[in-house]
C-alpha cells in the first residue's frame, strides 16, 4: 500500500519535474513587445529592399520585350521564357563578336581558379612564417604587406603593364592570373597571419622539440587547423577576381577578357532596340558564380573571420 501511495505521488511529481524545463523556457521567452515588432518589420523591409533588384533582374530576364514595354517593372512574367538566357549565353553581341558570354565565362574560370588557389597558398605560407617563424624585421615586412592592401588599382596599372611586357605575358590569361596573384597575396597574407597568431605556441614549440621542421609543422599541425581561414580567403579572392573589371579591360587581350568586360560590351552594343531581357539575363549569368559561392559557403566565411578575432 505504501509503495502504491509513493508511486501515485512520485509519478505526478516526476511528470511535473520533467515538464518543468519546457515551462521554464516558456517563462523565460520574452513577450513580443512593440519594440520587437518594429525591429522585425524593419529587418523584413531591409531584406526586401536589397532583394528587389535581384527579383527585377530575374523576372525581367524571363519576359518578352513586348511584355517588358507594356507591363510593370515589378509584375510577374505572364509567359516565362528562357530565350533571353539562351541568347545571352550563346549568341548575344559583345562588340563585333556575337558568340554570347560563354567564351568569356570560361575565360573568367581559367583566370579565377588558379589565381585564387595560388594567392591563397602563398598567403598561407607567408602568414605561417610571419606568425610562428618570426625573423629580424618581420614586422617591417608585415607592415609593407599591409600597405599593399591599400594601394589603389590605378597605381599599379603602369608598372604592372611594363612588367608584363618585359616577361611577354601582356594580353594573356597567364598575365591576368599573375596580376591577381600579386595583388591578392597581400590580403591573404594579412588574413592568415592574423589567424595563425592565435594558434597555441605550445603546439609549435613541442613540434620543434620533437624535431619537426618548417614544412612538417605546417603540413601536420598548422594546415589541419586552417580550414576556416582557407574558406575566408577562397571566398574573398574568388569574389574580388571574378568581379574585377579594371584589370580585365587593361591587361586582358581579345582572347583573355573576363566576363565582366564582356557584360559591359554586351550592354553597350547597339544593334537596334535595347533587349532588356537579354541584358538582365547576362547580368545574372555574370553574378551567378559569386552568388552560389556565398550561398554555399557564406557561413564558413563568417566563422573564419571570427575564429581569428580573439587570441586564445
Amino acid at each position: 500500500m505504501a509503495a502504491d501511495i509513493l508511486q501515485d505521488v512520485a509519478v505526478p511529481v516526476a511528470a511535473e519535474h520533467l515538464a518543468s524545463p519546457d515551462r521554464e523556457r516558456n517563462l523565460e521567452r520574452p513577450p513580443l513587445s512593440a519594440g520587437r515588432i518594429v525591429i522585425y518589420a524593419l529587418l523584413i523591409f531591409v531584406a526586401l529592399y536589397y532583394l528587389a533588384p535581384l527579383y527585377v533582374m530575374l523576372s525581367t530576364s524571363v519576359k518578352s520585350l513586348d511584355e517588358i514595354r507594356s507591363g510593370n517593372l515589378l509584375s510577374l512574367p505572364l509567359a516565362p521564357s528562357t530565350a533571353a538566357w539562351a541568347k545571352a549565353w550563346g549568341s548575344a553581341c559583345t562588340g563585333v563578336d556575337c558568340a554570347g558570354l560563354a567564351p568569356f565565362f570560361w575565360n573568367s574560370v581559367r583566370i579565377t581558379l588558379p589565381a585564387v588557389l595560388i594567392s591563397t597558398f602563398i598567403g598561407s605560407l607567408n602568414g605561417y612564417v610571419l606568425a610562428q617563424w618570426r625573423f629580424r624585421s618581420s614586422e617591417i615586412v608585415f607592415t609593407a604587406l599591409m600597405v599593399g592592401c591599400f594601394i589603389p588599382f590605378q597605381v599599379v596599372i603602369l608598372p604592372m603593364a611594363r612588367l608584363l611586357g618585359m616577361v611577354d605575358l601582356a594580353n594573356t590569361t597567364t598575365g591576368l592570373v599573375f596580376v591577381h596573384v600579386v595583388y591578392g597575396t597581400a590580403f591573404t597574407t594579412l588574413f592568415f597571419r592574423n589567424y595563425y597568431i592565435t594558434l597555441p605556441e605550445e603546439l609549435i614549440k613541442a613540434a620543434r622539440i620533437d624535431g619537426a621542421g618548417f614544412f612538417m609543422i605546417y603540413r601536420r599541425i598548422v594546415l589541419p587547423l586552417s580550414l576556416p581561414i582557407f574558406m575566408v580567403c577562397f571566398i574573398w579572392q574568388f569574389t574580388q577576381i571574378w568581379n574585377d573589371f579594371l584589370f580585365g579591360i587593361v591587361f586582358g587581350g581579345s582572347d583573355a577578357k573576363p566576363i565582366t568586360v564582356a557584360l559591359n560590351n554586351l550592354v553597350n552594343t547597339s544593334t537596334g532596340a535595347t533587349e532588356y531581357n537579354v541584358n538582365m539575363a547576362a547580368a545574372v549569368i555574370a553574378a551567378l558564380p559569386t552568388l552560389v559561392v556565398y550561398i554555399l559557403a557564406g557561413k564558413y566565411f563568417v566563422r573564419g573571420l571570427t575564429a581569428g578575432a580573439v587570441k586564445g
Side-chain angles (χ1 to χ4, degrees), residues 50-73:
Y50 277 96
L51 289 175
L54 181 60
Y55 164 76
V56 171
M57 292 170 62
L58 290 173
S59 63
T60 304
S61 67
V62 295
K63 294 178 181 179
S64 64
L65 285 179
D66 293 335
E67 186 179 350
I68 292 173
R69 295 191 185 101
S70 60
N72 188 292
L73 185 66

Side-chain angles (χ1 to χ4, degrees), residues 101 105 242-243 259-260 263 280-291:
L101 293 180
F105 181 92
W242 186 273
N243 292 335
I259 193 171
T260 49
L263 177 62
M280 292 297 181
V284 175
I285 291 173
L288 197 58
T290 52
L291 289 175

